[in-house]
Amino acid sequence: MVSSAPMSPPDWLRLKPVLDYVEAHYFEPIRIQNVLTLVHLEYHYFIKYFQKHIRMSFVDYLHVRRIKASERLMLTKSLSIADIGVQSGFPNVTQFIRIFKRYNGCTPSEFRKKRLPVHEPDLVD
């Protein structure tokens, strides 16, 4: 059973460089090997350690961060879905749509339609 206790300060301090790195670089390709030197942990130990303390895998954490960025872009910029995916760190639009749908239950286009109000055309000449 997963504990619901907050992360201890030493564990937080150990993982904070990884979380900061993801925040600063989520739009770039990131592999677990990129962050291992930040925590001085072996690959398999890091995977288990991250999962235990963040309560999701490193890959899921990275996907969630990228999805949140894409949601913000969809609601604030008039970019294509493909451009939003790239700017959010997804290597191609197919992967972006697939992962977005996995986390949100709808495609990016459906998300945008549901969230953005429909503007009525101006009737003033």
Side-chain angles (χ1 to χ4, degrees):
M1 184 172 177
V2 175
S3 168
S4 61
M7 195 180 327
S8 72
D11 291 326
W12 170 249
L13 288 174
R14 179 165 239 181
L15 287 174
K16 188 171 180 343
V18 173
L19 304 178
D20 290 345
Y21 182 88
V22 169
E23 185 62 29
H25 300 278
Y26 67 86
F27 47 87
E28 301 170 1
I30 297 178
R31 297 177 53 212
I32 290 174
Q33 289 82 356
N34 298 122
V35 300
L36 292 177
T37 58
L38 302 172
V39 288
H40 308 290
L41 295 175
E42 186 267 336
Y43 180 89
H44 295 288
Y45 184 77
F46 171 76
I47 291 170
K48 291 176 185 175
Y49 188 83
F50 193 93
Q51 175 82 39
K52 176 182 177 185
H53 295 291
I54 302 298
R55 297 190 182 93
M56 68 175 72
S57 72
F58 179 77
V59 172
D60 284 339
Y61 182 84
L62 181 57
H63 285 163
V64 167
R65 178 62 190 93
R66 288 173 171 167
I67 293 299
K68 294 300 173 197
S70 71
E71 289 171 353
R72 186 177 60 252
L73 286 172
M74 277 187 272
L75 298 175
T76 60
K77 307 283 183 192
S78 57
L79 299 169
S80 72
I81 296 300
D83 287 342
I84 288 171
V86 168
Q87 287 189 24
S88 300
F90 293 96
N92 60 64
V93 71
T94 304
Q95 184 183 28
F96 171 49
I97 292 169
R98 181 176 46 79
I99 291 171
F100 190 96
K101 189 170 185 176
R102 181 187 317 153
Y103 286 93
N104 283 312
C106 64
T107 65
S109 297
E110 292 166 344
F111 175 89
R112 184 182 254 173
K113 286 177 191 171
K114 284 193 269 186
R115 299 288 173 100
L116 290 178
V118 176
H119 293 287
E120 294 296 324
D122 292 334
L123 300 175
V124 179
D125 288 296

